[in-house]
Amino acid sequence: MLDFLLLIVGFAFLVKGADFFVDGASSIADHLKVPAIVIGLTIVAFGTSAPEAAVSITAGLSGSNAIAVGNVVGSNIFNLLIVLGASAALKTVKVQKRIIDFDLPVMIVGGLLLCLFCYTGNVVSRIEGAIMLAIR
């Protein structure tokens, strides 16, 4: 029962901390006259991805590579389908032409490369990882 209570308290702190983080990033953007999309794609994206990176790096260093790959793939699926889908269901999401022309093809190629690398040897080697970093 104590574990469940600690989980709920931790989740509440996480939500409130994320709220403070987003509000702070938004106020910095307003103060510096930086478009909100730039803040969203840099500061907030880094802040939300840092815990996932920590999990993946720790898993990779301890030999649990499947956890690292599952974390990356699951995060991308969740972000694309749930977050973007819920946002679009509530309000129309405007997309800049650059995202469609550049980011979308890079994302698709990256996903296909990951599938290819896993299919051809059931591993992602250092060279294949470097290739994926290079296309980013």
Side-chain angles (χ1 to χ4, degrees):
M1 188 63 171
L2 179 63
D3 289 338
F4 183 72
L5 180 64
L6 290 174
L7 179 68
I8 298 299
V9 169
F11 186 70
F13 278 125
L14 178 68
V15 169
K16 196 59 182 169
D19 190 37
F20 284 141
F21 185 74
V22 171
D23 288 345
S26 296
S27 68
I28 290 171
D30 288 343
H31 182 69
L32 297 176
K33 306 285 191 262
V34 176
I37 189 73
V38 172
I39 296 298
L41 292 175
T42 55
I43 296 173
V44 174
F46 176 77
T48 58
S49 297
E52 294 170 9
V55 167
S56 294
I57 291 167
T58 304
L61 291 174
S62 68
S64 301
N65 298 330
I67 292 175
V69 173
N71 188 26
V72 170
V73 173
S75 173
N76 285 331
I77 290 171
F78 185 84
N79 288 336
L80 289 172
L81 299 180
I82 303 298
V83 175
L84 184 60
S87 299
L90 297 173
K91 185 176 179 185
T92 302
V93 176
K94 293 182 182 177
V95 179
Q96 295 175 351
K97 185 163 176 34
R98 180 190 178 280
I99 291 173
I100 294 171
D101 292 344
F102 179 75
D103 293 342
L104 183 64
V106 168
M107 185 176 62
I108 291 171
V109 168
L112 291 174
L113 274 177
L114 178 63
C115 290
L116 176 69
F117 293 156
C118 289
Y119 181 74
T120 57
N122 205 23
V123 295
V124 178
S125 69
R126 288 182 180 172
I127 293 172
E128 293 166 340
I131 290 169
M132 293 187 73
L133 282 173
I135 68 165
R136 180 69 171 107

